[in-house]
Amino acid sequence: MGYEEAVHDMEKRVARIRTGEAPELVWFLAHPPLYTAGASAKEGDLLDAGAFPVHRTERGGQYTYHGPGQRVVYVMLDLQKRGADLHRFVRDLERWLIETLDEFGIAGERRAGRVGVWVDLGGGIEAKIAAIGIRVRRWVTFHGISLNVTPDLEHYRGIVACGVREHGVTSLKALGNDTSMAEVDEVLKEKFTAIFGE
């Protein structure tokens, strides 16, 4: 689905969740190749502006890539009904990704001062496998997470992903795991319910 169309639909849903007209939504989708620039994006981190379309977005974070082979999940929850704790929400998103990766034999880890989920590749080398970029409006969350399953990692060359120059990116496929997107989706759904509830 196109990014602008998805954001338009997400904005409408968030407004309806806020007024109680619609239930919360966890939306699984994929985008064509594109870059998004979050609220903290630095111009110097866009290395190849002509590689793919660049979309400015109000979510937190810096530049990131979305494209085929990556599972994007937009998480629209009413935190007012869930304890109104934004830090806990972000920690729970990280936990959700870490527990999902664990099911596929991949040790995802948090890093102090860096949002997202990381993999230790050995020899002091680590890479990001999942990104988190959220926004909250009147305690309703939107935007969310992206997990690299089988994307073309060369597509990241046009940006400094999330502003982190000293580490790269990876995927389940790059780590030797041939799990299908459908299998990843099932585990994501199962783990989401275990952490966040129905």
Side-chain angles (χ1 to χ4, degrees):
M1 183 178 212
Y3 184 76
E4 290 179 351
E5 180 185 357
V7 170
H8 178 261
D9 288 356
M10 182 167 45
E11 290 271 3
K12 289 196 302 184
R13 182 58 171 252
V14 165
R16 293 180 65 222
I17 292 169
R18 225 175 40 240
T19 59
E21 298 173 69
E24 296 173 313
L25 177 66
V26 181
W27 186 14
F28 286 57
L29 67 159
H31 292 306
L34 57 92
Y35 297 133
T36 63
S40 303
K42 299 178 180 72
E43 287 306 315
D45 288 347
L46 179 61
L47 306 177
D48 185 355
F52 300 114
V54 179
H55 297 269
R56 301 285 163 184
T57 176
E58 295 180 343
R59 65 154 173 78
Q62 301 185 41
Y63 281 101
T64 195
Y65 165 78
H66 293 312
Q70 182 188 71
R71 174 54 73 224
V72 174
V73 187
Y74 291 134
V75 182
M76 292 163 260
L77 300 182
D78 186 347
L79 291 189
Q80 196 72 57
K81 296 177 179 176
R82 296 171 171 269
D85 187 336
L86 184 56
H87 292 291
R88 177 183 167 195
F89 174 63
V90 174
R91 286 194 308 272
D92 284 347
L93 290 176
E94 290 174 335
R95 179 180 158 206
W96 176 33
L97 289 160
I98 289 167
E99 290 189 9
T100 296
L101 289 166
D102 187 59
E103 288 293 312
F104 300 106
I106 294 171
E109 301 173 352
R110 292 179 173 96
R111 288 290 179 267
R114 288 189 249 148
V115 177
V117 177
W118 300 79
V119 177
D120 185 343
L121 303 179
I125 300 171
E126 54 189 70
K128 193 169 197 174
I129 194 167
I132 296 173
I134 62 165
R135 186 165 168 81
V136 181
R137 185 178 295 147
R138 295 183 191 170
W139 290 109
V140 178
T141 68
F142 55 119
H143 294 279
I145 63 107
S146 59
L147 175 62
N148 289 340
V149 181
T150 62
D152 183 344
L153 296 179
E154 290 294 310
H155 289 180
Y156 279 91
R157 288 185 178 271
I159 57 170
V160 176
C162 304
V164 180
R165 294 180 179 276
E166 55 276 11
H167 304 291
V169 291
T170 191
S171 66
L172 273 79
K173 183 178 180 181
L175 295 172
N177 190 305
D178 290 324
T179 302
S180 71
M181 190 69 77
E183 290 172 300
V184 170
D185 286 349
E186 284 309 307
V187 175
L188 280 168
K189 291 173 190 176
E190 174 191 325
K191 297 297 181 182
F192 183 91
T193 302
I195 294 167
F196 293 92
E198 292 293 337

